Amino acid sequence: MSEPQPALISEADTVLCRQVPSALLDEACGIMSTAFTPSPRDAGRLSTLHAVDPYEAHRRYTEELELESAGTWGIEVGLASSLHLPAYEDSCLPGMPADHASVVFTAHTKGQQAQRARKLRDAALSQGPLFTP
Protein backbone atom coordinates (compact mmCIF):
# COMPACT_ATOMS: atom_id res chain seq x y z
CA MET A 1 0.00 0.00 0.00
CA SER A 2 1.38 3.43 -0.92
CA GLU A 3 1.87 6.32 1.47
CA PRO A 4 -0.74 9.13 1.41
CA GLN A 5 0.29 12.03 -0.80
CA PRO A 6 -0.33 15.75 -0.28
CA ALA A 7 -3.34 17.00 -2.22
CA LEU A 8 -3.20 20.09 -4.43
CA ILE A 9 -5.58 22.80 -3.21
CA SER A 10 -7.20 24.11 -6.36
CA GLU A 11 -10.08 26.25 -5.07
CA ALA A 12 -8.89 29.78 -5.87
CA ASP A 13 -10.90 31.44 -3.10
CA THR A 14 -9.46 29.23 -0.35
CA VAL A 15 -7.65 31.38 2.21
CA LEU A 16 -4.61 29.93 3.94
CA CYS A 17 -3.80 31.23 7.43
CA ARG A 18 -0.24 32.41 8.00
CA GLN A 19 1.07 33.49 11.41
CA VAL A 20 3.31 36.56 11.52
CA PRO A 21 5.66 36.98 14.48
CA SER A 22 5.97 40.50 15.94
CA ALA A 23 9.65 40.52 14.92
CA LEU A 24 8.50 40.54 11.26
CA LEU A 25 6.31 43.62 11.65
CA ASP A 26 7.80 46.91 10.47
CA GLU A 27 6.40 50.39 11.00
CA ALA A 28 7.43 51.47 7.50
CA CYS A 29 5.95 48.59 5.48
CA GLY A 30 3.62 46.81 7.90
CA ILE A 31 4.92 43.26 7.46
CA MET A 32 8.32 42.26 6.20
CA SER A 33 8.12 40.11 3.09
CA THR A 34 10.21 37.48 4.89
CA ALA A 35 7.00 36.61 6.76
CA PHE A 36 5.84 35.08 3.47
CA THR A 37 9.17 33.47 2.50
CA PRO A 38 10.02 29.92 3.55
CA SER A 39 12.97 29.75 5.92
CA PRO A 40 15.88 27.42 5.12
CA ARG A 41 14.52 24.83 7.58
CA ASP A 42 11.19 24.80 5.67
CA ALA A 43 12.81 23.28 2.55
CA GLY A 44 11.07 25.75 0.25
CA ARG A 45 7.60 25.18 1.71
CA LEU A 46 5.74 28.03 3.43
CA SER A 47 3.76 26.68 6.38
CA THR A 48 0.07 27.63 6.69
CA LEU A 49 -3.22 26.21 7.93
CA HIS A 50 -6.37 25.84 5.88
CA ALA A 51 -9.97 24.94 6.68
CA VAL A 52 -9.45 26.64 10.07
CA ASP A 53 -10.73 30.02 11.16
CA PRO A 54 -8.05 32.67 11.78
CA TYR A 55 -8.58 32.72 15.56
CA GLU A 56 -8.15 28.93 15.78
CA ALA A 57 -5.03 29.09 13.59
CA HIS A 58 -3.56 31.68 15.97
CA ARG A 59 -4.56 29.71 19.06
CA ARG A 60 -2.91 26.54 17.79
CA TYR A 61 0.28 28.40 16.91
CA THR A 62 0.58 30.25 20.20
CA GLU A 63 -0.89 27.75 22.67
CA GLU A 64 -0.14 24.32 21.21
CA LEU A 65 3.19 25.15 19.53
CA GLU A 66 4.02 27.82 22.13
CA LEU A 67 5.25 30.24 19.44
CA GLU A 68 4.75 34.00 19.33
CA SER A 69 2.47 35.58 16.72
CA ALA A 70 1.25 39.14 16.17
CA GLY A 71 -1.70 37.79 14.21
CA THR A 72 -3.10 35.72 11.39
CA TRP A 73 -2.82 36.94 7.80
CA GLY A 74 -4.35 35.39 4.70
CA ILE A 75 -2.91 33.98 1.49
CA GLU A 76 -5.44 33.26 -1.25
CA VAL A 77 -4.74 30.07 -3.16
CA GLY A 78 -5.70 31.81 -6.42
CA LEU A 79 -3.02 34.45 -5.98
CA ALA A 80 -0.40 31.87 -4.98
CA SER A 81 -1.30 29.77 -8.02
CA SER A 82 -1.05 32.79 -10.32
CA LEU A 83 2.52 33.24 -9.02
CA HIS A 84 3.28 29.57 -9.77
CA LEU A 85 3.28 28.73 -6.07
CA PRO A 86 1.10 25.64 -5.68
CA ALA A 87 -0.56 25.00 -2.33
CA TYR A 88 -0.87 21.48 -0.96
CA GLU A 89 -2.91 20.09 1.91
CA ASP A 90 -0.17 18.03 3.52
CA SER A 91 -1.40 17.09 6.97
CA CYS A 92 -1.10 13.46 5.81
CA LEU A 93 2.69 13.70 6.03
CA PRO A 94 4.46 12.56 9.20
CA GLY A 95 4.80 15.29 11.81
CA MET A 96 2.35 17.69 10.16
CA PRO A 97 -0.56 19.02 12.22
CA ALA A 98 -4.19 18.65 11.20
CA ASP A 99 -5.28 21.13 8.52
CA HIS A 100 -1.67 21.95 7.55
CA ALA A 101 -0.99 23.27 4.06
CA SER A 102 2.23 24.30 2.37
CA VAL A 103 2.79 26.88 -0.35
CA VAL A 104 5.65 25.49 -2.42
CA PHE A 105 8.42 27.85 -3.59
CA THR A 106 10.96 25.20 -4.69
CA ALA A 107 10.60 25.77 -8.45
CA HIS A 108 12.00 29.29 -8.13
CA THR A 109 15.38 30.92 -7.56
CA LYS A 110 15.98 32.86 -4.34
CA GLY A 111 15.37 36.13 -6.19
CA GLN A 112 12.10 34.85 -7.68
CA GLN A 113 11.05 33.59 -4.26
CA ALA A 114 11.64 37.04 -2.77
CA GLN A 115 9.58 38.70 -5.53
CA ARG A 116 6.71 36.29 -5.02
CA ALA A 117 6.85 36.67 -1.23
CA ARG A 118 6.53 40.46 -1.65
CA LYS A 119 3.41 39.96 -3.78
CA LEU A 120 1.88 37.66 -1.16
CA ARG A 121 2.79 40.17 1.55
CA ASP A 122 1.30 43.08 -0.42
CA ALA A 123 -1.96 41.21 -0.92
CA ALA A 124 -2.11 40.27 2.77
CA LEU A 125 -1.47 43.89 3.75
CA SER A 126 -4.19 45.17 1.44
CA GLN A 127 -6.66 42.71 2.96
CA GLY A 128 -5.56 43.40 6.51
CA PRO A 129 -5.12 40.90 9.32
CA LEU A 130 -7.67 38.13 9.63
CA PHE A 131 -7.11 38.01 13.40
CA THR A 132 -5.01 39.96 15.88
CA PRO A 133 -4.86 39.23 19.62
Side-chain angles (χ1 to χ4, degrees):
M1 186 176 223
S2 65
E3 294 289 320
Q5 295 296 309
L8 181 68
I9 302 171
S10 58
E11 297 81 21
D13 60 345
T14 297
V15 176
L16 305 174
C17 293
R18 175 74 178 159
Q19 298 306 308
V20 176
S22 298
L24 297 179
L25 295 179
D26 182 281
E27 288 184 31
C29 66
I31 303 173
M32 294 179 195
S33 62
T34 53
F36 294 92
T37 306
S39 71
R41 75 176 191 287
D42 295 326
R45 303 171 75 83
L46 186 69
S47 181
T48 68
L49 289 181
H50 79 105
V52 173
D53 73 56
Y55 166 79
E56 177 63 11
H58 184 268
R59 188 198 67 75
R60 287 188 196 180
Y61 192 80
T62 58
E63 293 179 17
E64 293 176 15
L65 298 177
E66 297 181 348
L67 298 170
E68 188 276 331
S69 174
T72 305
W73 300 79
I75 298 172
E76 287 191 5
V77 168
L79 173 60
S81 295
S82 75
L83 297 171
H84 304 284
L85 300 171
Y88 290 91
E89 193 289 320
D90 56 6
S91 59
C92 63
L93 298 176
M96 292 295 183
D99 304 311
H100 192 269
S102 293
V103 178
V104 181
F105 282 68
T106 56
H108 307 288
T109 66
K110 291 291 183 196
Q112 291 169 332
Q113 289 180 18
Q115 291 172 335
R116 285 162 170 77
R118 280 191 296 276
K119 290 182 181 186
L120 293 176
R121 185 264 326 260
D122 292 348
L125 279 172
S126 71
Q127 180 183 27
L130 303 177
F131 172 79
T132 54

Short mmCIF file of all heavy atoms in Angstrom, two decimals, residues 18-86:
data_model
loop_
_atom_site.label_atom_id
_atom_site.label_comp_id
_atom_site.label_asym_id
_atom_site.label_seq_id
_atom_site.Cartn_x
_atom_site.Cartn_y
_atom_site.Cartn_z
N ARG A 18 -1.67 32.31 7.73
CA ARG A 18 -0.24 32.41 8.00
C ARG A 18 -0.03 33.26 9.25
O ARG A 18 -0.58 34.36 9.36
CB ARG A 18 0.46 33.06 6.80
CG ARG A 18 1.93 33.34 6.98
CD ARG A 18 2.77 32.11 6.91
NE ARG A 18 4.19 32.45 7.05
CZ ARG A 18 5.11 31.60 7.42
NH1 ARG A 18 4.79 30.35 7.67
NH2 ARG A 18 6.37 31.98 7.53
N GLN A 19 0.75 32.75 10.19
CA GLN A 19 1.07 33.49 11.41
C GLN A 19 2.28 34.38 11.15
O GLN A 19 3.23 33.98 10.49
CB GLN A 19 1.37 32.54 12.56
CG GLN A 19 0.19 31.65 12.92
CD GLN A 19 -1.07 32.43 13.21
OE1 GLN A 19 -1.07 33.37 14.00
NE2 GLN A 19 -2.16 32.06 12.55
N VAL A 20 2.22 35.60 11.69
CA VAL A 20 3.31 36.56 11.52
C VAL A 20 3.83 36.95 12.90
O VAL A 20 3.11 37.58 13.68
CB VAL A 20 2.84 37.81 10.74
CG1 VAL A 20 3.95 38.84 10.66
CG2 VAL A 20 2.36 37.42 9.35
N PRO A 21 5.07 36.57 13.20
CA PRO A 21 5.66 36.98 14.48
C PRO A 21 5.85 38.50 14.54
O PRO A 21 6.07 39.16 13.52
CB PRO A 21 7.02 36.28 14.49
CG PRO A 21 6.90 35.17 13.50
CD PRO A 21 5.94 35.67 12.45
N SER A 22 5.78 39.05 15.75
CA SER A 22 5.97 40.50 15.94
C SER A 22 7.30 40.97 15.37
O SER A 22 7.40 42.10 14.88
CB SER A 22 5.92 40.85 17.42
OG SER A 22 4.67 40.53 17.94
N ALA A 23 8.33 40.14 15.42
CA ALA A 23 9.65 40.52 14.92
C ALA A 23 9.63 40.81 13.41
O ALA A 23 10.53 41.47 12.90
CB ALA A 23 10.66 39.42 15.22
N LEU A 24 8.59 40.32 12.71
CA LEU A 24 8.50 40.54 11.26
C LEU A 24 7.54 41.67 10.90
O LEU A 24 7.21 41.85 9.73
CB LEU A 24 8.13 39.24 10.55
CG LEU A 24 9.17 38.12 10.70
CD1 LEU A 24 8.71 36.87 9.98
CD2 LEU A 24 10.53 38.56 10.21
N LEU A 25 7.10 42.42 11.91
CA LEU A 25 6.31 43.62 11.65
C LEU A 25 7.26 44.81 11.58
O LEU A 25 8.24 44.88 12.31
CB LEU A 25 5.29 43.85 12.77
CG LEU A 25 4.20 42.80 12.92
CD1 LEU A 25 3.30 43.17 14.08
CD2 LEU A 25 3.41 42.63 11.65
N ASP A 26 6.94 45.74 10.68
CA ASP A 26 7.80 46.91 10.47
C ASP A 26 6.90 48.12 10.34
O ASP A 26 5.92 48.09 9.60
CB ASP A 26 8.62 46.69 9.20
CG ASP A 26 9.57 47.82 8.92
OD1 ASP A 26 9.09 48.86 8.41
OD2 ASP A 26 10.76 47.68 9.18
N GLU A 27 7.23 49.18 11.06
CA GLU A 27 6.40 50.39 11.00
C GLU A 27 6.32 50.98 9.60
O GLU A 27 5.30 51.52 9.20
CB GLU A 27 6.92 51.44 11.99
CG GLU A 27 6.64 51.07 13.43
CD GLU A 27 7.08 52.16 14.38
OE1 GLU A 27 7.04 53.35 14.01
OE2 GLU A 27 7.43 51.81 15.52
N ALA A 28 7.38 50.87 8.84
CA ALA A 28 7.43 51.47 7.50
C ALA A 28 6.58 50.70 6.49
O ALA A 28 5.88 51.31 5.70
CB ALA A 28 8.88 51.56 7.01
N CYS A 29 6.65 49.36 6.51
CA CYS A 29 5.95 48.59 5.48
C CYS A 29 4.86 47.67 6.02
O CYS A 29 4.21 46.98 5.26
CB CYS A 29 6.95 47.78 4.65
SG CYS A 29 7.78 46.49 5.57
N GLY A 30 4.65 47.66 7.32
CA GLY A 30 3.62 46.81 7.90
C GLY A 30 4.15 45.43 8.25
O GLY A 30 4.37 45.12 9.40
N ILE A 31 4.38 44.60 7.26
CA ILE A 31 4.92 43.26 7.46
C ILE A 31 6.12 43.12 6.54
O ILE A 31 6.07 43.50 5.37
CB ILE A 31 3.90 42.17 7.05
CG1 ILE A 31 2.60 42.30 7.82
CG2 ILE A 31 4.49 40.77 7.26
CD1 ILE A 31 1.52 41.34 7.33
N MET A 32 7.17 42.55 7.05
CA MET A 32 8.32 42.26 6.20
C MET A 32 7.97 41.11 5.27
O MET A 32 7.25 40.20 5.66
CB MET A 32 9.53 41.88 7.06
CG MET A 32 10.04 42.99 7.92
SD MET A 32 11.44 42.36 8.88
CE MET A 32 11.56 43.65 10.09
N SER A 33 8.45 41.17 4.04
CA SER A 33 8.12 40.11 3.09
C SER A 33 8.67 38.76 3.52
O SER A 33 8.17 37.72 3.10
CB SER A 33 8.61 40.48 1.69
OG SER A 33 10.01 40.62 1.66
N THR A 34 9.68 38.76 4.41
CA THR A 34 10.21 37.48 4.89
C THR A 34 9.16 36.68 5.66
O THR A 34 9.31 35.47 5.81
CB THR A 34 11.46 37.69 5.77
OG1 THR A 34 11.14 38.62 6.81
CG2 THR A 34 12.63 38.20 4.96
N ALA A 35 8.10 37.33 6.11
CA ALA A 35 7.00 36.61 6.76
C ALA A 35 6.30 35.66 5.79
O ALA A 35 5.62 34.73 6.21
CB ALA A 35 5.99 37.58 7.36
N PHE A 36 6.48 35.90 4.50
CA PHE A 36 5.84 35.08 3.47
C PHE A 36 6.88 34.34 2.62
O PHE A 36 6.58 33.92 1.50
CB PHE A 36 4.93 35.94 2.60
CG PHE A 36 3.77 36.48 3.39
CD1 PHE A 36 3.84 37.71 4.01
CD2 PHE A 36 2.61 35.73 3.54
CE1 PHE A 36 2.79 38.19 4.78
CE2 PHE A 36 1.55 36.20 4.30
CZ PHE A 36 1.64 37.44 4.92
N THR A 37 8.08 34.20 3.16
CA THR A 37 9.17 33.47 2.50
C THR A 37 9.51 32.26 3.35
O THR A 37 9.70 32.40 4.55
CB THR A 37 10.43 34.37 2.39
OG1 THR A 37 10.08 35.58 1.74
CG2 THR A 37 11.53 33.68 1.60
N PRO A 38 9.63 31.07 2.74
CA PRO A 38 10.02 29.92 3.55
C PRO A 38 11.44 30.11 4.11
O PRO A 38 12.31 30.62 3.42
CB PRO A 38 9.99 28.75 2.57
CG PRO A 38 9.37 29.24 1.33
CD PRO A 38 9.40 30.73 1.35
N SER A 39 11.63 29.70 5.34
CA SER A 39 12.97 29.75 5.92
C SER A 39 13.76 28.54 5.43
O SER A 39 13.18 27.58 4.91
CB SER A 39 12.88 29.75 7.45
OG SER A 39 12.48 28.47 7.91
N PRO A 40 15.07 28.56 5.58
CA PRO A 40 15.88 27.42 5.12
C PRO A 40 15.42 26.09 5.73
O PRO A 40 15.44 25.06 5.05
CB PRO A 40 17.29 27.78 5.57
CG PRO A 40 17.30 29.28 5.59
CD PRO A 40 15.93 29.67 6.04
N ARG A 41 14.96 26.09 6.97
CA ARG A 41 14.52 24.83 7.58
C ARG A 41 13.20 24.32 6.99
O ARG A 41 12.83 23.17 7.20
CB ARG A 41 14.42 24.97 9.10
CG ARG A 41 13.23 25.75 9.59
CD ARG A 41 13.15 25.77 11.12
NE ARG A 41 11.91 26.27 11.59
CZ ARG A 41 11.51 27.54 11.57
NH1 ARG A 41 12.31 28.46 11.08
NH2 ARG A 41 10.34 27.91 12.04
N ASP A 42 12.48 25.18 6.26
CA ASP A 42 11.19 24.80 5.67
C ASP A 42 11.33 24.09 4.33
O ASP A 42 10.32 23.70 3.74
CB ASP A 42 10.30 26.03 5.50
CG ASP A 42 9.92 26.66 6.82
OD1 ASP A 42 9.75 25.92 7.81
OD2 ASP A 42 9.80 27.90 6.87
N ALA A 43 12.55 23.98 3.82
CA ALA A 43 12.81 23.28 2.55
C ALA A 43 11.95 23.82 1.41
O ALA A 43 11.43 23.07 0.60
CB ALA A 43 12.62 21.78 2.72
N GLY A 44 11.80 25.14 1.36
CA GLY A 44 11.07 25.75 0.25
C GLY A 44 9.56 25.68 0.35
O GLY A 44 8.86 25.95 -0.62
N ARG A 45 9.04 25.33 1.52
CA ARG A 45 7.60 25.18 1.71
C ARG A 45 7.14 26.12 2.83
O ARG A 45 7.54 25.97 3.98
CB ARG A 45 7.26 23.73 2.04
CG ARG A 45 7.74 22.76 0.96
CD ARG A 45 7.61 21.31 1.38
NE ARG A 45 6.25 20.85 1.35
CZ ARG A 45 5.61 20.41 0.26
NH1 ARG A 45 6.24 20.39 -0.89
NH2 ARG A 45 4.37 20.00 0.33
N LEU A 46 6.27 27.06 2.47
CA LEU A 46 5.74 28.03 3.43
C LEU A 46 4.60 27.38 4.21
O LEU A 46 3.60 26.94 3.63
CB LEU A 46 5.26 29.28 2.70
CG LEU A 46 4.82 30.44 3.57
CD1 LEU A 46 6.02 31.05 4.29
CD2 LEU A 46 4.12 31.49 2.72
N SER A 47 4.72 27.34 5.52
CA SER A 47 3.76 26.68 6.38
C SER A 47 2.53 27.54 6.63
O SER A 47 2.64 28.71 7.01
CB SER A 47 4.45 26.35 7.71
OG SER A 47 3.57 25.69 8.58
N THR A 48 1.35 26.96 6.44
CA THR A 48 0.07 27.63 6.69
C THR A 48 -0.92 26.60 7.24
O THR A 48 -0.63 25.42 7.30
CB THR A 48 -0.53 28.22 5.39
OG1 THR A 48 -0.92 27.16 4.52
CG2 THR A 48 0.46 29.14 4.67
N LEU A 49 -2.10 27.09 7.61
CA LEU A 49 -3.22 26.21 7.93
C LEU A 49 -4.37 26.57 7.01
O LEU A 49 -4.51 27.72 6.60
CB LEU A 49 -3.66 26.38 9.39
CG LEU A 49 -2.74 25.85 10.47
CD1 LEU A 49 -3.36 26.08 11.85
CD2 LEU A 49 -2.43 24.37 10.29
N HIS A 50 -5.17 25.58 6.68
CA HIS A 50 -6.37 25.84 5.88
C HIS A 50 -7.55 25.14 6.54
O HIS A 50 -7.38 24.32 7.43
CB HIS A 50 -6.18 25.37 4.43
CG HIS A 50 -6.36 23.90 4.26
ND1 HIS A 50 -7.47 23.36 3.68
CD2 HIS A 50 -5.58 22.87 4.60
CE1 HIS A 50 -7.36 22.04 3.67
NE2 HIS A 50 -6.22 21.73 4.23
N ALA A 51 -8.73 25.51 6.13
CA ALA A 51 -9.97 24.94 6.68
C ALA A 51 -10.06 25.18 8.18
O ALA A 51 -10.67 24.39 8.90
CB ALA A 51 -10.09 23.46 6.33
N VAL A 52 -9.43 26.27 8.66
CA VAL A 52 -9.45 26.64 10.07
C VAL A 52 -9.70 28.14 10.12
O VAL A 52 -9.15 28.88 9.30
CB VAL A 52 -8.07 26.33 10.72
CG1 VAL A 52 -7.99 26.85 12.13
CG2 VAL A 52 -7.79 24.85 10.68
N ASP A 53 -10.52 28.58 11.08
CA ASP A 53 -10.73 30.02 11.16
C ASP A 53 -9.47 30.69 11.71
O ASP A 53 -8.64 30.04 12.37
CB ASP A 53 -11.99 30.38 11.93
CG ASP A 53 -11.89 30.18 13.43
OD1 ASP A 53 -10.98 30.76 14.05
OD2 ASP A 53 -12.73 29.45 13.97
N PRO A 54 -9.28 31.96 11.41
CA PRO A 54 -8.05 32.67 11.78
C PRO A 54 -7.76 32.67 13.28
O PRO A 54 -6.60 32.56 13.70
CB PRO A 54 -8.28 34.09 11.27
CG PRO A 54 -9.24 33.91 10.14
CD PRO A 54 -10.14 32.80 10.55
N TYR A 55 -8.80 32.77 14.12
CA TYR A 55 -8.58 32.72 15.56
C TYR A 55 -8.01 31.36 15.96
O TYR A 55 -7.06 31.27 16.73
CB TYR A 55 -9.88 32.98 16.33
CG TYR A 55 -9.76 32.59 17.79
CD1 TYR A 55 -9.10 33.44 18.69
CD2 TYR A 55 -10.23 31.37 18.25
CE1 TYR A 55 -8.94 33.07 20.02
CE2 TYR A 55 -10.07 31.01 19.58
CZ TYR A 55 -9.42 31.85 20.45
OH TYR A 55 -9.25 31.48 21.75
N GLU A 56 -8.60 30.28 15.45
CA GLU A 56 -8.15 28.93 15.78
C GLU A 56 -6.72 28.70 15.28
O GLU A 56 -5.91 28.07 15.96
CB GLU A 56 -9.10 27.88 15.21
CG GLU A 56 -8.67 26.45 15.45
CD GLU A 56 -8.61 26.04 16.93
OE1 GLU A 56 -9.09 26.76 17.81
OE2 GLU A 56 -8.05 24.96 17.19
N ALA A 57 -6.40 29.22 14.11
CA ALA A 57 -5.03 29.09 13.59
C ALA A 57 -4.05 29.77 14.55
O ALA A 57 -2.99 29.22 14.87
CB ALA A 57 -4.94 29.70 12.20
N HIS A 58 -4.41 30.95 15.03
CA HIS A 58 -3.56 31.68 15.97
C HIS A 58 -3.46 30.93 17.31
O HIS A 58 -2.36 30.80 17.88
CB HIS A 58 -4.12 33.09 16.19
CG HIS A 58 -3.26 33.94 17.06
ND1 HIS A 58 -3.44 34.02 18.42
CD2 HIS A 58 -2.21 34.74 16.76
CE1 HIS A 58 -2.53 34.83 18.93
NE2 HIS A 58 -1.78 35.28 17.95
N ARG A 59 -4.57 30.44 17.79
CA ARG A 59 -4.56 29.71 19.06
C ARG A 59 -3.65 28.48 18.99
O ARG A 59 -2.84 28.25 19.88
CB ARG A 59 -5.98 29.27 19.44
CG ARG A 59 -6.06 28.67 20.85
CD ARG A 59 -7.32 27.85 21.05
NE ARG A 59 -7.36 26.66 20.22
CZ ARG A 59 -6.64 25.55 20.45
NH1 ARG A 59 -5.79 25.48 21.45
NH2 ARG A 59 -6.75 24.50 19.66
N ARG A 60 -3.76 27.72 17.93
CA ARG A 60 -2.91 26.54 17.79
C ARG A 60 -1.43 26.92 17.78
O ARG A 60 -0.61 26.26 18.40
CB ARG A 60 -3.23 25.79 16.50
CG ARG A 60 -4.52 25.04 16.52
CD ARG A 60 -4.61 24.20 15.28
NE ARG A 60 -5.92 23.74 15.01
CZ ARG A 60 -6.23 22.98 13.96
NH1 ARG A 60 -5.30 22.64 13.10
NH2 ARG A 60 -7.46 22.59 13.78
N TYR A 61 -1.11 27.96 17.05
CA TYR A 61 0.28 28.40 16.91
C TYR A 61 0.85 28.87 18.24
O TYR A 61 1.96 28.52 18.60
CB TYR A 61 0.33 29.52 15.86
CG TYR A 61 1.72 29.90 15.39
CD1 TYR A 61 2.38 29.14 14.42
CD2 TYR A 61 2.35 31.03 15.89
CE1 TYR A 61 3.63 29.51 13.96
CE2 TYR A 61 3.61 31.39 15.42
CZ TYR A 61 4.24 30.63 14.47
OH TYR A 61 5.49 31.00 14.01
N THR A 62 0.07 29.66 18.96
CA THR A 62 0.58 30.25 20.20
C THR A 62 0.43 29.33 21.41
O THR A 62 1.32 29.29 22.26
CB THR A 62 -0.09 31.60 20.49
OG1 THR A 62 -1.52 31.41 20.58
CG2 THR A 62 0.23 32.61 19.41
N GLU A 63 -0.66 28.59 21.50
CA GLU A 63 -0.89 27.75 22.67
C GLU A 63 -0.32 26.34 22.50
O GLU A 63 0.37 25.84 23.39
CB GLU A 63 -2.38 27.67 23.00
CG GLU A 63 -2.94 29.00 23.47
CD GLU A 63 -4.42 28.94 23.77
OE1 GLU A 63 -4.98 27.82 23.94
OE2 GLU A 63 -5.05 30.02 23.83
N GLU A 64 -0.59 25.70 21.39
CA GLU A 64 -0.14 24.32 21.21
C GLU A 64 1.35 24.26 20.83
O GLU A 64 2.08 23.42 21.35
CB GLU A 64 -0.98 23.62 20.15
CG GLU A 64 -2.42 23.41 20.61
CD GLU A 64 -3.31 22.80 19.54
OE1 GLU A 64 -2.79 22.26 18.53
OE2 GLU A 64 -4.54 22.85 19.73
N LEU A 65 1.79 25.14 19.94
CA LEU A 65 3.19 25.15 19.53
C LEU A 65 4.04 26.05 20.43
O LEU A 65 5.27 26.02 20.35
CB LEU A 65 3.33 25.58 18.07
CG LEU A 65 2.64 24.69 17.04
CD1 LEU A 65 2.80 25.27 15.64
CD2 LEU A 65 3.19 23.26 17.10
N GLU A 66 3.36 26.88 21.22
CA GLU A 66 4.02 27.82 22.13
C GLU A 66 4.98 28.75 21.39
O GLU A 66 6.10 29.01 21.82
CB GLU A 66 4.73 27.08 23.26
CG GLU A 66 3.77 26.30 24.13
CD GLU A 66 4.43 25.57 25.27
OE1 GLU A 66 5.67 25.46 25.31
OE2 GLU A 66 3.68 25.11 26.15
N LEU A 67 4.50 29.28 20.24
CA LEU A 67 5.25 30.24 19.44
C LEU A 67 4.55 31.59 19.51
O LEU A 67 3.36 31.68 19.79
CB LEU A 67 5.37 29.76 17.99
CG LEU A 67 6.13 28.45 17.81
CD1 LEU A 67 5.97 27.93 16.39
CD2 LEU A 67 7.60 28.63 18.17
N GLU A 68 5.29 32.64 19.25
CA GLU A 68 4.75 34.00 19.33
C GLU A 68 4.21 34.43 17.95
O GLU A 68 4.82 34.16 16.93
CB GLU A 68 5.87 34.95 19.78
CG GLU A 68 5.40 36.35 20.08
CD GLU A 68 5.30 37.25 18.86
OE1 GLU A 68 6.05 37.05 17.90
OE2 GLU A 68 4.44 38.15 18.89
N SER A 69 3.06 35.08 17.95
CA SER A 69 2.47 35.58 16.72
C SER A 69 1.74 36.89 16.98
O SER A 69 1.00 37.02 17.96
CB SER A 69 1.47 34.57 16.14
OG SER A 69 0.79 35.12 15.03
N ALA A 70 1.96 37.86 16.09
CA ALA A 70 1.25 39.14 16.17
C ALA A 70 -0.13 39.04 15.55
O ALA A 70 -0.95 39.93 15.72
CB ALA A 70 2.05 40.23 15.46
N GLY A 71 -0.39 37.97 14.82
CA GLY A 71 -1.70 37.79 14.21
C GLY A 71 -1.68 36.85 13.03
O GLY A 71 -0.64 36.36 12.60
N THR A 72 -2.89 36.61 12.53
CA THR A 72 -3.10 35.72 11.39
C THR A 72 -3.37 36.56 10.15
O THR A 72 -4.22 37.45 10.17
CB THR A 72 -4.31 34.80 11.64
OG1 THR A 72 -4.12 34.10 12.88
CG2 THR A 72 -4.52 33.81 10.51
N TRP A 73 -2.66 36.26 9.08
CA TRP A 73 -2.82 36.94 7.80
C TRP A 73 -3.21 35.90 6.76
O TRP A 73 -2.93 34.71 6.93
CB TRP A 73 -1.53 37.65 7.41
CG TRP A 73 -1.15 38.68 8.43
CD1 TRP A 73 -0.55 38.48 9.63
CD2 TRP A 73 -1.42 40.08 8.36
NE1 TRP A 73 -0.41 39.66 10.30
CE2 TRP A 73 -0.93 40.66 9.55
CE3 TRP A 73 -1.99 40.90 7.40
CZ2 TRP A 73 -1.01 42.02 9.80
CZ3 TRP A 73 -2.07 42.25 7.65
CH2 TRP A 73 -1.59 42.80 8.84
N GLY A 74 -3.85 36.32 5.69
CA GLY A 74 -4.35 35.39 4.70
C GLY A 74 -3.56 35.37 3.39
O GLY A 74 -3.06 36.40 2.95
N ILE A 75 -3.48 34.18 2.83
CA ILE A 75 -2.91 33.98 1.49
C ILE A 75 -3.99 33.28 0.68
O ILE A 75 -4.40 32.17 1.03
CB ILE A 75 -1.66 33.08 1.53
CG1 ILE A 75 -0.55 33.70 2.37
CG2 ILE A 75 -1.18 32.74 0.12
CD1 ILE A 75 0.63 32.78 2.62
N GLU A 76 -4.44 33.91 -0.39
CA GLU A 76 -5.44 33.26 -1.25
C GLU A 76 -4.75 32.29 -2.20
O GLU A 76 -3.75 32.64 -2.84
CB GLU A 76 -6.23 34.29 -2.03
CG GLU A 76 -7.21 35.05 -1.17
CD GLU A 76 -8.18 35.89 -1.98
OE1 GLU A 76 -8.16 35.83 -3.23
OE2 GLU A 76 -8.96 36.61 -1.35
N VAL A 77 -5.30 31.10 -2.30
CA VAL A 77 -4.74 30.07 -3.16
C VAL A 77 -4.69 30.56 -4.61
O VAL A 77 -3.72 30.30 -5.32
CB VAL A 77 -5.53 28.75 -3.04
CG1 VAL A 77 -5.15 27.76 -4.13
CG2 VAL A 77 -5.31 28.14 -1.66
N GLY A 78 -5.69 31.31 -5.05
CA GLY A 78 -5.70 31.81 -6.42
C GLY A 78 -4.51 32.71 -6.72
O GLY A 78 -3.90 32.61 -7.79
N LEU A 79 -4.18 33.58 -5.78
CA LEU A 79 -3.02 34.45 -5.98
C LEU A 79 -1.74 33.62 -5.99
O LEU A 79 -0.90 33.79 -6.86
CB LEU A 79 -2.93 35.51 -4.88
CG LEU A 79 -1.65 36.37 -4.91
CD1 LEU A 79 -1.52 37.12 -6.24
CD2 LEU A 79 -1.62 37.31 -3.74
N ALA A 80 -1.60 32.72 -5.02
CA ALA A 80 -0.40 31.87 -4.98
C ALA A 80 -0.26 31.09 -6.29
O ALA A 80 0.83 31.05 -6.88
CB ALA A 80 -0.46 30.92 -3.79
N SER A 81 -1.34 30.53 -6.76
CA SER A 81 -1.30 29.77 -8.02
C SER A 81 -0.90 30.65 -9.20
O SER A 81 -0.14 30.22 -10.06
CB SER A 81 -2.66 29.13 -8.30
OG SER A 81 -2.94 28.16 -7.32
N SER A 82 -1.40 31.89 -9.22
CA SER A 82 -1.05 32.79 -10.32
C SER A 82 0.44 33.14 -10.31
O SER A 82 0.99 33.53 -11.34
CB SER A 82 -1.90 34.06 -10.28
OG SER A 82 -1.47 34.92 -9.23
N LEU A 83 1.08 32.99 -9.16
CA LEU A 83 2.52 33.24 -9.02
C LEU A 83 3.33 31.95 -9.18
O LEU A 83 4.52 31.93 -8.89
CB LEU A 83 2.80 33.87 -7.65
CG LEU A 83 2.17 35.23 -7.40
CD1 LEU A 83 2.33 35.64 -5.94
CD2 LEU A 83 2.74 36.28 -8.33
N HIS A 84 2.65 30.89 -9.60
CA HIS A 84 3.28 29.57 -9.77
C HIS A 84 3.81 29.03 -8.45
O HIS A 84 4.89 28.46 -8.38
CB HIS A 84 4.36 29.60 -10.85
CG HIS A 84 3.84 30.10 -12.16
ND1 HIS A 84 3.07 29.33 -13.00
CD2 HIS A 84 3.95 31.32 -12.75
CE1 HIS A 84 2.72 30.05 -14.06
NE2 HIS A 84 3.24 31.26 -13.92
N LEU A 85 3.00 29.24 -7.41
CA LEU A 85 3.28 28.73 -6.07
C LEU A 85 2.12 27.81 -5.68
O LEU A 85 1.11 28.26 -5.12
CB LEU A 85 3.40 29.88 -5.05
CG LEU A 85 4.48 30.92 -5.30
CD1 LEU A 85 4.32 32.10 -4.34
CD2 LEU A 85 5.86 30.29 -5.16
N PRO A 86 2.22 26.54 -6.00
CA PRO A 86 1.10 25.64 -5.68
C PRO A 86 0.96 25.45 -4.17
O PRO A 86 1.95 25.52 -3.42
CB PRO A 86 1.50 24.33 -6.36
CG PRO A 86 2.99 24.39 -6.48
CD PRO A 86 3.33 25.85 -6.64
#
